[in-house]
């Protein structure tokens, strides 16, 4: 990992002896803190030391914009630019363990507790890591070595001042004047640089004379008398520089005090009747020339900031002038206007939008918090709404807290704004904390949006409500998502159309409606990527890859999985990248590359293992366990299942069933299978229904081989009807075990051909050998998959019973189905027929498979339809 250190905006002068001592201290200490007052040169010295110690493997984290202790970890994660749960110090430390040898935390003083917490975790978990911190105070944790910066050596201070003032270092008069200035400014680097900026306006002797002036300066005079000398010196230097500013420059300096970073647009927004835009820009140039504002032009747009000490001084002058409320209001209003001006970019190119908003991200929570805390609640609520997509994409917990505060401040007189606040709350919560509270906010937003005739809010809220329904009611989720899709298209909401299209496609894929699902997912993902909506596009592509794998297109599936990973990568979002990673790993494993599959997941597994609270990536544990099963390591699969700390999805439950069965714990496997079968969404997912049938067949095979074979045929019937090619191969191999040697060879030969055609190499069944079965194997290899499946489904020796429809049901299956249609529960059916509840489930599963229905509602509907339209008697 190569992290670029901040560039030097000017030459590094002096501190040579101290630099060598600091380098030596770093070799013998894992935590070194450069401590000293503002303006003493801590940051410049840290950059120089880091460049010497670890030029190609250092992480630089600037905490000057960070105002809350709980944001320190997030800032480190952003600096690392790797996918980690950004609120978990242990997880971020795990990423450091495999990366840089040195991390520099600059400007720790205002978040000292948060910095100390992170450093303690990082040093404990990363034995090879060294931390260099800069702070006005030590972090005060075990193992810290503190290096307190003293004023510069006089000769070095003179050299620095002459360098910055462009004076001749060999001129004795210049050196004499510089010495007087350095003595007056206590040889503090920042004070020297600020003063040197006036050398183009005043001579060095004039500067020295003016600094020696003992005129009383009232600002901070009371606190200054008891302050340390160096702090008084810097304040005096700031006062002196401030007195020489023009009136416009003094006004702008005060007005910029609330800003962390700002660009030209924000400065223009500070213009008013007394200070026109041109005058404000001229004042900005003056502040830059005088080193009170730092300008970074390395990117496509100039970014400006005030050094921390200057910003503190400007804030003090702002308060002294009684202008803080107005300035903070301007600050918040400027950022609301910026976000609104960037809204068209968010619709057309979200990558560029993220880049632009990232330039002033630290100002957003500060401005919103001031407004919500009483400055201007209405403005704060609007600012939170405007910033919601940024907080959604970055998974920012601070944004979620601010939105909850904004929602609670509803005055009750603006339902339209409250609807936007609530949908914003749900949008961020869906990523940060997807719980019932989040989706309840989405439902409230949808209702208010409809009441206030706000289609944008309503459509986004409906999408979020549909997402909340995915784990409980797939049919309702699809109905709402499809309605949202059509409504968004009707009003020209391209994002709403494509995002809801992805949701419909996901649900269609769960229902194995592949033609419709693939078309929706592919079209929607393409359109979303064109606009830079990477998060949703990555989810769509990951789902599309898995769907293509199920239907046997493994090569295309792998290409799609790689596209999903590339789409999600720039977001550095752990859940989205984790989802893409397990999808790719599963497909690679299906193609027989088990080591590669595990390596793909191992890249992120360390972060999960080290996290204090394991992040939840749906599908991760199931995939790790499934790969272990394909390797033949059922005990490892059990351990992966046991590590799941969140919801056991039907996929994970069924994988757990297989692991328990293969380790010989049939009772536990049966209990897990019943839990999976009772899932409210399983009935709508044919692929998993077929897996459940196959697992029940394996569990009863030793007791009732005939019933087990019937279950395998039911599973095959589902898989064949829904185009689940890989599942059909599994079913053929399972049914081969229940037939005669010749029939087994025929089915295994057909499965072997299908495996070679698709590239499905995971968990291959061994082929029989010998002359007795060679001909049957050859005949099997000549069959298509459909032909082999049709033969496998022939169960009645005389061929009189159909394989589908009510006529295909056995007497026991028909009895259970009829009672279910009448509304009896499983326990009631069991009591009525004097059979076990498990047997009722088995018969119902057979009936569902043969009738092509997913649940009791569809069963009753099918029965009513057939009763109203009975089949015509045969003419024969």
């Amino acid at each position: 990992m190569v992290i670029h250190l901040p560039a030097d905006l000017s030459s590094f002068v002096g501190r040579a002896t101290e630099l060598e001592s600091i380098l030596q201290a770093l070799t013998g200490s894992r935590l070194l803190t450069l401590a000293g007052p503002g303006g003493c040169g801590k940051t410049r010295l840290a950059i120089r030391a880091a460049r010497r110690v670890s030029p190609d493997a250092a992480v630089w984290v600037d905490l000057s914009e960070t105002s809350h202790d709980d944001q320190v970890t997030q800032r480190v994660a952003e600096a690392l630019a790797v996918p980690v749960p950004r609120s978990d110090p242990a997880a971020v430390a795990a990423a450091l363990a495999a990366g840089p040898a040195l991390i520099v935390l600059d400007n720790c003083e205002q978040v000292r507790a948060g910095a100390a917490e992170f450093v303690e975790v990082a040093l404990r978990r990363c034995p090879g890591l060294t931390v260099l911190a800069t702070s006005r105070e030590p972090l005060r944790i075990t193992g810290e070595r503190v290096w307190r910066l003293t004023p510069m050596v006089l000769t070095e201070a003179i050299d620095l001042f002459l360098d910055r003032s462009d004076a001749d270092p060999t001129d004795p008069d210049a050196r004499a004047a510089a010495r007087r200035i350095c003595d007056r400014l206590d040889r503090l680097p920042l004070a020297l640089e600020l003063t040197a900026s006036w050398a183009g306006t005043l001579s060095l002797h004039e500067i020295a004379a003016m600094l020696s002036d003992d005129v009383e300066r009232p600002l901070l005079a009371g606190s200054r008398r008891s302050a340390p000398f160096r702090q008084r010196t810097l304040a005096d230097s700031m006062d002196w520089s401030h007195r020489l500013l023009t009136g416009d420059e003094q006004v702008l300096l005060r007005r910029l005090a609330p800003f962390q970073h700002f660009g030209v647009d924000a400065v223009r927004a500070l213009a008013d009747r007394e200070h026109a835009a041109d005058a404000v820009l001229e004042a900005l140039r003056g502040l830059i020339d005088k080193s009170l504002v730092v300008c970074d032009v390395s990117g496509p747009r100039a970014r400006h900031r005030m050094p921390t000490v200057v910003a503190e001084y400007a804030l003090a002058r702002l308060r002294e002038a009684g202008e803080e409320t107005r300035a903070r209001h301007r600050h918040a209003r400027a950022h609301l206007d910026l976000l609104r001006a960037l809204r068209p970019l968010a619709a057309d190119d979200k990558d560029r939008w993220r880049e632009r908003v990232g330039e002033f991200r630290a100002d957003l929570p500060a401005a919103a918090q001031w407004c919500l805390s009483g400055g201007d609640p209405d403005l704060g609520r609007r600012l939170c709404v405007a910033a919601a997509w940024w907080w959604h994409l970055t998974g920012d917990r601070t944004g979620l807290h601010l939105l909850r505060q904004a929602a609670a401040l509803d005055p009750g007189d603006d339902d339209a704004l409250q609807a936007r606040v609530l949908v914003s709350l749900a949008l961020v919560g869906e990523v940060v904390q997807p719980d019932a509270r989040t989706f309840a906010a989405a439902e409230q937003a949808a209702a208010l949006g409809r009441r206030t005739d706000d289609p944008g809010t309503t459509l986004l809220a409906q999408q979020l409500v549909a997402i909340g329904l995915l784990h409980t009611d797939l049919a309702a989720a699809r109905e709402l998502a499809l309605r949202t899709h059509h409504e968004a298209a009707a009003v020209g909401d391209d994002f709403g159309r494509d995002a809801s299209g992805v949701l419909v496609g996901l649900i269609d894929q769960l229902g194995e409606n592949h033609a419709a699902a693939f078309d929706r997912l592919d079209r929607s993902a393409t359109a979303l990527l064109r606009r830079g909506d990477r998060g949703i596009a990555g989810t769509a592509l990951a789902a599309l890859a898995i769907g293509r794998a199920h239907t046997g297109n493994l090569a295309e599936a792998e290409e799609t999985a790689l596209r999903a990973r590339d789409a999600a990568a720039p977001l550095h979002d752990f859940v989205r990248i984790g989802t893409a990673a397990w999808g790719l790993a599963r497909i690679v494993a299906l193609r027989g590359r088990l080591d590669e599959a595990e390596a793909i997941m191992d890249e992120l597994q360390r972060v999960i293992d080290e996290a204090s609270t394991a992040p939840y990536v749906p599908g991760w544990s199931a995939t790790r366990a499934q790969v272990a099963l394909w390797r033949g390591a059922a005990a490892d699969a059990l351990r992966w299942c046991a590590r799941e700390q969140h919801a056991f999805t039907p996929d994970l439950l069924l994988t757990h069933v297989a692991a328990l069965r293969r380790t010989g714990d049939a009772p536990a496997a049966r209990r897990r299978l019943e839990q999976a079968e009772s899932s409210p969404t399983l009935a709508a997912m044919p692929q998993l229904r077929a897996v459940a049938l196959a697992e029940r067949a394996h569990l009863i095979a030793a007791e009732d081989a005939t019933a087990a074979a019937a279950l395998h045929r039911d599973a095959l019937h589902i898989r064949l009807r829904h185009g689940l090619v890989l599942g059909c191969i599994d079913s053929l191999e399972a049914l081969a075990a229940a037939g005669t040697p010749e029939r087994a060879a025929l089915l295994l030969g057909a499965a072997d051909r299908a495996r070679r055609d698709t590239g499905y190499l995971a968990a291959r069944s061994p082929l029989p050998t010998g002359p007795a079965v060679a001909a049957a194997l050859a005949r099997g290899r000549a069959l298509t998959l459909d032909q082999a499946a049709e033969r496998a489904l022939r169960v009645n020796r005389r061929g009189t019973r159909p394989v589908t429809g009510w006529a295909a049901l056995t007497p026991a299956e028909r009895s259970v189905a009829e009672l279910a249609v009448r509304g009896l529960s499983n326990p009631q059916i069991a009591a009525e027929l004097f059979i076990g509840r498990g047997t009722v489930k088995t018969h119902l599963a057979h009936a569902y498979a043969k009738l092509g229905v997913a649940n009791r509602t569809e069963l009753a509907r099918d029965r009513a339809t057939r009763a109203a339209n009975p089949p015509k008697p045969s003419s024969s």
Side-chain angles (χ1 to χ4, degrees):
M1 181 185 302
V2 178
I3 307 296
H4 295 291
L5 295 167
D8 285 323
L9 299 179
S10 56
S11 58
F12 185 80
V13 179
R15 299 284 196 191
T17 303
E18 282 172 299
L19 177 60
E20 294 303 321
S21 298
I22 287 168
L23 293 174
Q24 186 174 356
L26 277 170
T27 63
S29 174
R30 296 186 61 209
L31 170 60
L32 179 65
T33 300
L34 304 184
C40 70
K42 300 184 294 295
T43 297
R44 292 294 297 274
L45 199 52
I47 293 173
R48 185 62 48 163
R51 195 164 282 142
R52 290 275 300 275
V53 170
S54 188
D56 295 329
V59 173
W60 182 272
V61 185
D62 182 4
L63 297 176
S64 61
E65 301 178 359
T66 309
S67 55
H68 299 287
D69 288 318
D70 58 4
Q71 293 177 331
V72 172
T73 299
Q74 183 169 347
R75 294 291 174 264
V76 178
E78 290 169 356
L80 285 170
V82 295
V84 287
R86 298 184 175 192
S87 60
D88 192 321
V92 176
L96 280 167
L102 175 69
I103 181 170
V104 185
L105 302 180
D106 190 34
N107 294 299
C108 295
E109 52 271 0
Q110 73 274 15
V111 284
R112 203 157 47 87
E117 178 190 7
F118 174 77
V119 169
E120 283 187 312
V121 173
L123 292 177
R124 186 169 61 249
R125 293 175 180 262
C126 309
L129 180 67
T130 298
V131 178
L132 176 61
T134 74
S135 178
R136 297 182 189 180
E137 300 179 65
L139 300 184
R140 295 191 176 90
I141 59 177
T142 303
E144 179 184 27
R145 182 171 181 179
V146 180
W147 188 278
R148 298 188 184 275
L149 287 188
T150 59
M152 295 184 75
V153 174
L154 179 59
T155 56
E156 292 181 342
I158 292 172
D159 289 341
L160 174 65
F161 182 83
L162 293 174
D163 179 81
R164 297 299 189 259
S165 59
D166 260 347
D168 182 358
T170 64
D171 181 350
D173 286 342
R175 293 193 73 85
R179 175 169 185 156
R180 290 172 59 200
I181 293 169
C182 291
D183 285 341
R184 180 65 186 85
L185 297 179
D186 196 30
R187 308 190 296 281
L188 281 175
L190 179 59
L192 293 172
E193 298 210 19
L194 291 175
T195 305
S197 68
W198 289 98
T201 305
L202 303 169
S203 72
L204 300 193
H205 287 285
E206 286 176 318
I207 294 173
M210 293 181 73
L211 284 173
S212 299
D213 184 3
D214 289 330
V215 174
E216 176 66 21
R217 302 175 184 90
L219 179 66
L220 302 177
S223 61
R224 187 173 300 163
R225 294 190 186 98
S226 58
F229 177 64
R230 271 179 285 165
Q231 292 182 24
R232 298 200 307 271
T233 297
L234 183 59
D236 285 345
S237 173
M238 292 292 303
D239 276 351
W240 181 81
S241 292
H242 185 264
R243 287 192 301 122
L244 296 179
L245 297 177
T246 67
D248 285 347
E249 289 169 349
Q250 290 181 352
V251 170
L252 182 60
L253 185 73
R254 294 197 302 271
R255 291 181 179 178
L256 289 174
F259 287 81
Q260 303 278 0
H261 275 98
F262 51 92
V264 172
D265 290 341
V267 174
R268 284 198 185 101
L270 299 179
D272 54 22
R273 291 180 182 177
E274 295 81 19
H275 305 87
D278 289 345
V280 170
L281 291 178
E282 185 65 29
L284 174 63
R285 186 167 66 177
L287 295 178
I288 294 171
D289 290 344
K290 298 169 182 67
S291 299
L292 295 169
V293 168
V294 177
C295 179
D296 180 1
V297 293
S298 60
R301 286 164 302 280
R303 296 185 67 199
H304 305 81
R305 66 176 178 83
M306 288 192 287
T308 303
V309 172
V310 177
E312 291 171 351
Y313 180 86
L315 182 59
R317 299 306 300 245
L318 181 70
R319 288 171 174 164
E320 181 192 54
E323 298 173 353
E324 183 177 9
T325 297
R326 186 182 181 194
R328 291 199 178 277
H329 192 276
R330 283 174 177 267
H331 176 242
R333 171 57 66 180
H335 285 94
L336 178 58
D337 291 342
L338 275 172
L339 288 168
R340 286 176 171 173
L342 290 171
R343 194 177 295 161
L345 187 61
D348 296 332
D349 189 344
K350 197 150 280 179
D351 280 341
R352 284 185 58 213
W353 180 86
R354 285 189 298 111
E355 178 186 315
R356 290 293 308 277
V357 178
E359 294 172 0
F360 53 85
R361 64 185 178 192
D363 287 273
L364 297 176
Q369 187 62 70
W370 178 82
C371 290
L372 296 175
S373 298
D376 187 338
D378 183 76
L379 177 59
R381 298 174 78 223
R382 295 177 191 277
L383 182 58
C384 285
V385 169
W389 269 109
W390 170 259
W391 292 330
H392 167 87
L393 291 171
T394 57
D396 195 319
R397 289 187 177 274
T398 300
L400 180 63
H401 296 325
L402 288 168
L403 280 161
R404 284 179 174 164
Q405 190 176 346
L409 288 172
D410 176 25
D413 58 359
D414 191 341
D415 284 349
L417 177 57
Q418 181 67 358
R420 295 194 295 274
V421 169
L422 288 170
V423 78
S424 299
L425 169 58
L427 180 69
V428 179
E430 189 265 324
V431 172
V432 175
Q433 193 170 331
D435 54 14
R437 185 177 175 184
T438 288
F439 296 114
E443 291 177 357
Q444 295 172 47
L448 285 175
R450 285 189 289 270
R451 186 190 308 165
T452 57
D453 194 25
D454 181 349
T457 296
T458 303
L459 293 171
L460 179 56
Q462 287 178 179
Q463 291 176 50
L464 293 165
V465 172
I467 290 171
L469 290 170
L470 286 177
H471 297 294
T472 57
D473 192 336
L474 286 175
R478 187 185 189 281
E479 180 182 354
L480 181 56
L482 185 60
R483 189 174 87 224
T484 303
H485 176 74
H486 292 316
E487 291 173 354
V491 299
D493 181 352
D494 292 343
F495 170 80
R497 177 200 64 206
D498 296 328
S500 54
V502 168
L503 194 52
V504 176
L506 288 171
I507 298 169
D508 282 345
Q509 180 155 296
L510 290 173
E512 312 305 339
N513 183 3
H514 296 296
F518 291 0
D519 179 62
R520 284 191 191 277
L521 291 172
D522 204 359
R523 281 192 294 110
S524 298
T526 300
L528 288 163
L529 280 176
R530 194 181 302 122
R531 295 191 300 271
D533 282 303
R534 294 179 169 274
I536 301 173
T539 299
L541 290 171
L544 180 58
I546 293 297
R548 284 175 169 161
H550 286 164
T551 56
N553 298 313
L554 285 174
E556 189 177 7
E558 185 171 346
E559 292 176 4
T560 306
L562 289 169
R563 286 176 59 203
R565 186 174 67 176
D566 292 344
L571 297 176
H572 306 302
D573 181 286
F574 188 83
V575 173
R576 289 186 172 105
I577 292 177
T579 299
W582 76 249
L584 177 61
R586 187 172 284 226
I587 292 164
V588 165
L590 286 168
R591 303 189 78 182
R593 293 159 19 220
L594 299 180
D595 289 345
E596 184 180 342
E598 291 181 336
I600 290 169
M601 300 191 77
D602 284 345
E603 292 180 18
L604 299 180
Q605 188 65 53
R606 182 177 57 256
V607 174
I608 295 175
D609 292 344
E610 294 293 332
S612 55
T613 301
Y616 179 47
V617 181
W620 184 271
S621 297
T623 299
R624 296 239 60 159
Q626 186 60 64
V627 173
L629 287 175
W630 285 330
R631 192 181 282 285
D636 289 345
L638 274 182
R639 283 192 287 272
W640 285 117
C641 292
R643 290 176 56 154
E644 178 57 62
Q645 299 177 14
H646 300 85
F648 264 74
T649 61
D651 184 25
L652 181 57
L653 285 169
L654 292 171
T655 305
H656 197 194
V657 171
L660 289 166
R661 173 176 57 78
R662 294 188 193 184
T663 53
D665 194 349
R670 287 190 175 93
R671 290 192 296 272
R672 268 301 194 206
L673 181 56
E674 290 184 0
Q675 187 178 350
E677 290 171 337
S678 65
S679 167
T681 57
L682 182 69
M685 296 187 285
Q687 188 262 337
L688 293 181
R689 273 188 13 239
V691 173
L693 288 170
E695 282 302 326
R696 187 165 288 283
H698 288 306
L699 286 169
I700 68 171
E703 305 164 6
D704 190 340
T706 301
L711 285 168
H712 279 307
R713 283 191 293 273
D714 290 342
L716 174 58
H717 186 267
I718 291 173
R719 288 163 168 167
L720 188 64
R721 178 150 45 93
H722 291 282
L724 299 168
V725 172
L726 303 191
C728 287
I729 295 171
D730 292 339
S731 289
L732 290 180
E733 292 176 345
L735 285 165
T740 64
E742 183 178 357
R743 179 179 171 84
L746 181 82
L747 296 181
L748 289 173
D752 182 59
R753 172 186 168 177
R755 280 185 177 273
R756 285 186 293 174
D757 289 346
T758 60
Y760 177 29
L761 302 179
R764 299 188 69 170
S765 295
L767 295 176
T769 57
V773 295
L777 276 172
R779 289 199 306 274
R781 290 192 179 106
L783 296 175
T784 66
L785 191 63
D786 285 350
Q787 290 169 337
E790 189 274 331
R791 294 199 181 192
L793 289 171
R794 293 179 188 169
V795 295
N796 188 286
R797 290 191 182 91
R798 292 171 295 179
T800 56
R801 178 178 293 156
V803 295
T804 62
W806 284 85
L809 303 185
T810 65
E813 291 164 356
R814 178 180 287 274
S815 297
V816 170
E818 294 285 4
L819 291 172
V821 169
R822 285 167 47 191
L824 273 69
S825 65
N826 283 10
Q828 290 170 330
I829 294 172
E832 180 79 14
L833 299 178
F834 300 101
I835 58 177
R837 296 182 185 182
T839 305
V840 173
K841 288 185 177 180
T842 299
H843 288 324
L844 270 179
H846 289 179
Y848 288 171
K850 293 175 181 178
L851 298 174
V853 299
N855 50 48
R856 287 171 177 259
T857 302
E858 293 183 12
L859 177 68
R861 187 183 303 125
D862 182 82
R863 188 59 170 149
T865 301
R866 291 176 184 271
N869 302 282
K872 295 180 180 179
S874 173
S875 58
S876 60

